[in-house]
């Protein structure tokens, strides 16, 4: 729980540190990073990189919470219900917020930037959900191979994915 609280605090403070909404001068708003104007605070942003802590804690709780022989679908429903519960509330809050912003005269471009700023961190749920869905397979493979071999395999797979994504000249997204 302490690690989870630390990770949440890191994400919230980290986003506040790197994201600011400022007026454009023409009645609009734009997103910028306060670190552009206060680069001396950049090292703080390094300490607030706590996403790995989320995945560590999530993996630990998945390993502790999944019991062999448990129905995968029932386990997934319970895990996803907790994981996705806040999302509809976030979306429901932003529907009227968008309407109010547009009614107040903000441009569609400004409103789109704000909505993107709010919704873009939800990419985390896709990755986290995928790893959660794979957790029973990962747990089984880990137990079959033993702790040392299981750790080596998982770290090697992670490194291979990073090499494919970041190490190749074109990456996985095909961009040069």
């Amino acid at each position: 729980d302490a690690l989870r609280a630390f990770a949440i605090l890191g994400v919230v403070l980290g986003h506040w540190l790197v994201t600011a909404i400022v007026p454009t001068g023409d009645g609009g708003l734009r997103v910028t990073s306060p670190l552009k104007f206060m680069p001396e605070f950049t090292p703080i942003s390094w300490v607030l990189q706590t996403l790995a802590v989320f995945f560590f804690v999530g993996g630990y709780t998945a390993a502790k919470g999944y019991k062999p022989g448990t129905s995968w679908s029932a386990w997934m429903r319970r895990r996803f219900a907790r994981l996705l519960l806040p999302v509809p509330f976030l979306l429901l809050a932003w529907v009227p917020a968008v309407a109010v912003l547009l009614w107040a005269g903000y441009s569609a471009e400004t409103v789109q930037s704000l909505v993107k700023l709010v919704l873009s961190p939800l990419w985390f749920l896709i990755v986290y959900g995928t790893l959660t869905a794979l957790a029973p397979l990962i747990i089984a493979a880990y137990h079959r191979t033993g702790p040392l071999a299981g750790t080596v395999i998982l770290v090697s797979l992670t490194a291979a994915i990073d090499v494919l994504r970041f190490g190749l000249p074109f990456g996985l997204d095909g961009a040069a």
Side-chain angles (χ1 to χ4, degrees), residues 111-128:
V111 174
Q112 181 181 5
S113 293
L114 292 174
V115 170
K116 182 179 177 185
L117 182 67
V118 169
L119 298 182
S120 64
L122 295 180
W123 70 265
F124 165 82
L125 295 176
I126 296 167
V127 175
Y128 192 86

Side-chain angles (χ1 to χ4, degrees), residues 144-170:
R144 262 190 235 113
T145 60
L148 181 59
T151 301
V152 169
I153 290 168
L154 292 174
V155 169
S156 298
L157 283 171
T158 303
I161 290 168
D162 281 351
V163 166
L164 285 172
R165 173 64 180 96
F166 300 111
L168 298 176
F170 54 84

Side-chain angles (χ1 to χ4, degrees), residues 2-176:
L3 285 174
R4 193 175 294 169
F6 168 72
I8 290 169
L9 184 64
V11 167
V12 170
L13 293 176
H15 279 91
W16 282 350
L17 187 61
V18 300
T19 307
I21 300 168
V22 296
T24 59
D26 61 359
L29 299 171
R30 69 179 173 87
V31 178
T32 190
S33 173
L35 293 180
K36 287 182 183 177
F37 309 100
M38 300 179 295
E40 63 275 11
F41 289 111
T42 300
I44 295 171
S45 72
W46 302 336
V47 174
L48 298 174
Q49 299 295 322
T50 57
L51 198 55
V53 177
F54 270 115
F55 284 97
F56 175 77
V57 171
Y60 177 80
T61 58
K64 286 294 192 186
Y66 183 78
K67 304 296 179 223
T70 302
S71 162
W72 179 81
S73 59
W75 184 74
M76 284 301 299
R77 276 193 301 278
R78 282 193 310 276
R79 301 285 295 182
F80 272 55
R82 290 179 29 209
L83 180 64
L84 300 176
L85 181 64
V87 174
F89 296 102
L90 174 70
L91 298 175
L92 286 172
W94 271 90
V95 168
V98 165
V100 167
L101 289 168
L102 291 171
W103 175 80
Y106 288 98
S107 70
E109 182 180 291
T110 295
V111 174
Q112 181 181 5
S113 293
L114 292 174
V115 170
K116 182 179 177 185
L117 182 67
V118 169
L119 298 182
S120 64
L122 295 180
W123 70 265
F124 165 82
L125 295 176
I126 296 167
V127 175
Y128 192 86
T130 300
L131 290 173
T132 298
L134 293 173
L137 294 173
I138 295 169
I139 293 164
Y142 186 81
H143 286 296
R144 262 190 235 113
T145 60
L148 181 59
T151 301
V152 169
I153 290 168
L154 292 174
V155 169
S156 298
L157 283 171
T158 303
I161 290 168
D162 281 351
V163 166
L164 285 172
R165 173 64 180 96
F166 300 111
L168 298 176
F170 54 84
L172 286 180
D173 59 6

